[in-house]
Amino acid sequence: AARPAAAGEAPVDPTASTAVNTGEGGGEYLIMDPSELNSLRTELEAKLAECESLQGQVADWQLKIRKSDAEMDRLRGVESYQKQQMSAMEAAIGEKNRAIEGLEKQAEAAR
């Protein structure tokens, strides 16, 4: 069965053989039956659709990577803030401990 011509294509004559350049540089041509050409066209269209689907998956993965990179940056900021808070708390605890030691020495001296 003849496939209708796509936009911009010449109509396909289902009874005519077609000369296809082998692309091997010697000007060699391979005579192909129209059904073989249609089969190859269908196969190529399927491969193209598969490639487009894979490109969509890659774009989706790239978006997920960008989102996870942004989340990692946010978490690094949280971690940095928490480290600053811990340092401040450790300094405050150290001050309180020194004050307690001073009070203990005063109490001992008063005895």
Side-chain angles (χ1 to χ4, degrees), residues 3-4 9 12 36-46:
R3 182 183 64 79
E9 284 185 350
V12 176
E36 289 178 285
L37 285 174
N38 285 334
S39 175
L40 286 173
R41 176 176 282 129
T42 301
E43 187 178 328
L44 287 173
E45 288 169 349

Side-chain angles (χ1 to χ4, degrees), residues 85-100:
Q85 293 297 308
M86 285 181 60
S87 294
M89 290 172 72
E90 287 170 351
I93 289 170
E95 269 183 52
K96 297 290 182 187
N97 283 340
R98 285 189 290 282
I100 291 169

Side-chain angles (χ1 to χ4, degrees), residues 58-77:
V58 167
D60 187 46
W61 292 334
Q62 289 172 332
L63 177 62
K64 287 177 182 176
I65 289 169
R66 283 193 300 276
K67 284 181 179 180
S68 44
D69 286 347
E71 179 66 5
M72 283 298 293
D73 289 344
R74 186 189 72 77
L75 291 173
R76 283 187 191 107

